[in-house]
Structures are given as structure tokens and as C-alpha cells.
Amino acid sequence: MYLKSIVMLSASEIENVVEKGLMNLDWKMQPEELYEPIEYLISIGGKRLRPRLAILCCNLFTDKIDKSVLYPALGLEVFHGFTLIHDDIMDGADMRRNQPTVHKKWNSNVAILSGDVMCIKSYQLIANAPEKYLKEVLDIFSETASQVCEGQQYDMNYEAEPFITIEDYMHMIGLKTAVLVACSAKIGAVIGGAERSVADALYNFAYKLGLAFQIKDDLLDSFGDTAVFGKNIGGDIMSNKKTWLLVQSMKRATGSDKAELDRLLINKEIVREEKIPAMQALFTRLGVKEDADRAVENLHSEAWASIENAKLNSRQLDQLSDFANSLLNRER
């Protein structure tokens, strides 16, 4: 499963490969209004977790890290960027990574078209996968791309629902967030030459991490530091977004807590300075803040259970452990 001659890249080396690759993508094309927003979105940074994970999972099985894995890895990030541009339009978000969102800096029409081009360009990058694995990689990616759109539709549907279950929520984030993280791991492993069963195990591992990542994101949106998190804290609270915290609060709240929750959700006249601290206090009082942290830990454990029988050695497991810890023990 692992050859001693394989040289494994460090986390910082993988980050440098990804960042250099992204910066070398050429967006200096015409019409400028179409491509400049893409260059802008990529330039303002991000966690780059999807391309990093793809390269890491490839590197578990080979040290041949060239354009056959780099370009597909970058394609995953470009596709993710497309989803962010469109999500920000749908959510009416003003800030992304402490900078104006594309539709705010330009306008919604420009943002929609730029996002469309990013989706197309992501396929062009993915198509650089080795011919031997190209159909499999494209099939994995295409199915995932459809699932991400399904997840976004569920997310929008749930905005109009007075109540959803935690099972509804987990299904939605599984599609909207976790499948693309899982896809990144599997594509990297496939290109690296991993056995099918191992690539599938890494998919399941990354899927659980993706779920944990989203719950952590929900926590940070309500309780993080704006300067560190990269966007205004409380955006989910102000939009009554059905996060893990809110879904669990709707399930648990009774009596005066239920009355307070209903007031905060229904009264559109409540200003930001009142609503955010009031909802934070309610989340804490109902125990959902603490339980969200516990849910992240439990999903982390489930992720490890997914690869118990994958016959990975200690060095491979260490690489995955470092990545998982960096993903979940974060403040942004």
C-alpha cells in the first residue's frame, strides 16, 4: 500500500504547490468584465482544503505530483469558487474572506456569468487527469457537481420551511459541502493509483470530515472572531439560516426559550446589535453550542473508523491526521 521510496510532501509544501498553481492560472482574457471577478475571487485567498486534500491523497500512493494531479486539484478549487459566487448571490452576502463579494463589487449579472465560466473552466482543468483514470475522475466529479447543486436547492427550500429535522440538515450539508471534500480525496487517490477499496474508504473518511467542517463553520459564523473568520459574524443568525445550531434550538426550546426563539426569528424589526447576542445567549443556554463542538468530535471519530480497514501505514495515517486536525481545530 505504501512504498518506502515515496517522498511525502509536508502540509506547507502542499499549500505552496496549490497556491503557486492557482496564481499561475491565466485569467487575463476578454471580455475583462467576465474574467476579472474570477481572478479577484481566487486572489483573496481561502483554505484551499479541496485541492490540498486531493494532492495529499495522491501523494499517499505516489510522489509523482505533476500537472496530471495538480490541474484536477485546481479544478476542484475553481469549481468551489463558482459555488461561492452563486451562493453569495442567493444569500445576499456582502463579505467573503473580509472582502466584498463578487456581486457586491460588480453586480449580480456579472457574478452569475463569471461563476458560470468558473464551472466550465473547472472541467477543463479536471480533464488533465491521466488518460488511464480520466473517465473515472470525470464521472466522480460530474456526479459530485450535481449533488452540490442539489444540496444548494435543499438549502434554499429549507429557508421557507418553518421547521426541519437534524436529519434534513445533515442530508443537506452532506450534498452541499461534504461530497465535494470527499470527491477531492477520492480523485487524488485514484490519480495516485490507489486500489478501488482504498479510494472508497478515503471518500468516506473525507465525507465525514466535510460534515464536521460544516458544523464547525456554523459555530464560527455565530461565535467566531470577524477579523479571523473572514466575514461578518452572525450572518447566519440575521438571515435565520437553518444551521446545526438553529435546527437543534428549534427542537429543544420550550417555554420562555421557545417564546424568545420565536421572537428572534419572526420580528424583522430587531436590529443586528440586539439579535446576534440574544441568539448567541439562547444557543449557549440550550446547550447547542457545546453539543455542536461534540458533534464535530464525533464525526471526526467516525471519519477515522471509515479507514480502519484500508491498510494504510503509520506515515499515511499521520498525513491524514494532520490534515483533519488543521481542518477542525481552526478559528477561520
Side-chain angles (χ1 to χ4, degrees):
M1 192 54 60
Y2 167 71
L3 301 176
K4 291 184 178 179
S5 59
I6 292 177
V7 177
M8 290 192 177
L9 300 177
S10 67
S12 61
E13 287 172 330
I14 291 175
E15 288 175 13
N16 289 338
V17 167
V18 169
E19 205 61 39
K20 184 177 179 180
L22 287 170
M23 293 305 105
N24 284 337
L25 292 178
D26 184 13
W27 302 109
K28 303 294 186 185
M29 292 178 277
Q30 297 296 322
E32 184 178 293
E33 295 84 358
L34 181 64
Y35 292 101
E36 187 179 357
I38 301 174
E39 186 173 37
Y40 166 77
L41 181 70
I42 290 174
S43 72
I44 62 176
K47 291 177 259 314
R48 317 298 197 201
L49 74 93
R50 294 153 191 87
R52 285 166 45 212
L53 182 57
I55 291 174
L56 184 154
C57 286
C58 179
N59 191 206
L60 295 178
F61 309 100
T62 179
D63 51 17
K64 185 183 178 184
I65 306 300
D66 57 15
K67 70 177 185 179
S68 68
V69 66
L70 175 60
Y71 284 171
L74 299 181
L76 293 163
E77 183 70 7
V78 172
F79 179 81
H80 176 59
F82 143 69
T83 68
L84 295 182
I85 289 179
H86 282 201
D87 285 2
D88 285 340
I89 296 170
M90 295 179 219
D91 292 343
D94 294 341
M95 300 288 288
R96 168 69 62 182
R97 300 165 186 158
N98 256 347
Q99 298 295 324
T101 51
V102 170
H103 72 99
K104 282 293 181 181
K105 187 173 175 65
W106 283 272
N107 59 58
S108 292
N109 288 339
V110 167
I112 290 168
L113 276 175
S114 294
D116 291 345
V117 170
M118 290 187 84
C119 184
I120 295 164
K121 294 293 184 182
S122 69
Y123 270 93
Q124 292 178 329
L125 289 164
I126 294 283
N128 284 275
E131 184 176 354
K132 178 180 179 181
Y133 304 117
L134 182 56
K135 184 182 185 304
E136 183 177 4
V137 166
L138 284 173
D139 285 347
I140 295 166
F141 180 63
S142 295
E143 182 179 3
T144 300
S146 294
Q147 289 174 320
V148 171
C149 293
E150 291 166 9
Q152 179 63 14
Q153 185 63 58
Y154 278 120
D155 196 13
M156 291 189 295
N157 290 350
Y158 292 161
E159 289 179 9
E161 295 288 336
F163 174 83
I164 67 169
T165 67
I166 196 65
E167 290 77 18
D168 291 332
Y169 169 85
M170 295 301 289
H171 179 238
M172 181 267 290
I173 67 167
L175 292 168
K176 184 175 176 179
T177 301
V179 293
L180 188 56
V181 179
C183 164
S184 302
K186 187 170 183 177
I187 283 177
V190 167
I191 294 174
E195 295 175 6
R196 176 67 62 86
S197 62
V198 178
D200 288 342
L202 286 168
Y203 179 96
N204 294 332
F205 170 82
Y207 181 83
K208 292 293 186 179
L209 284 186
L211 295 175
F213 173 83
Q214 184 57 57
I215 297 173
K216 180 73 173 185
D217 214 52
D218 289 354
L219 268 168
L220 291 174
D221 192 277
S222 290
F223 290 97
D225 181 336
T226 298
V228 178
F229 190 43
K231 58 182 179 181
N232 291 332
I233 295 302
D236 290 345
I237 290 174
M238 293 306 299
S239 64
N240 293 341
K241 189 174 182 66
K242 291 183 176 67
T243 61
W244 195 96
L245 298 162
L246 181 56
V247 171
Q248 289 287 39
S249 294
M250 295 171 79
K251 178 181 177 181
R252 298 181 187 187
T254 58
S256 60
D257 286 334
K258 176 70 162 59
E260 171 72 347
L261 180 59
D262 289 344
R263 181 184 77 87
L264 293 170
L265 294 175
I266 295 170
N267 189 342
K268 300 184 184 302
E269 303 302 317
I270 302 176
V271 297
R272 182 183 188 89
E273 291 74 19
E274 177 187 353
K275 183 170 181 175
I276 292 174
M279 194 67 87
Q280 288 172 330
L282 187 62
F283 287 157
T284 301
R285 191 161 63 248
L286 290 172
V288 297
K289 179 178 185 290
E290 181 179 352
D291 285 350
D293 279 320
R294 189 172 294 112
V296 171
E297 293 172 4
N298 290 341
L299 285 164
H300 191 184
S301 297
E302 290 176 22
W304 280 109
S306 299
I307 54 174
E308 277 183 356
N309 299 319
K311 298 179 181 177
L312 299 174
N313 67 34
S314 59
R315 288 191 64 197
Q316 291 168 316
L317 292 172
D318 285 346
Q319 293 287 88
L320 293 170
S321 177
D322 289 345
F323 180 84
N325 289 333
S326 71
L327 202 63
L328 304 180
N329 299 326
R330 73 187 206 278
E331 299 302 323
R332 60 180 289 273

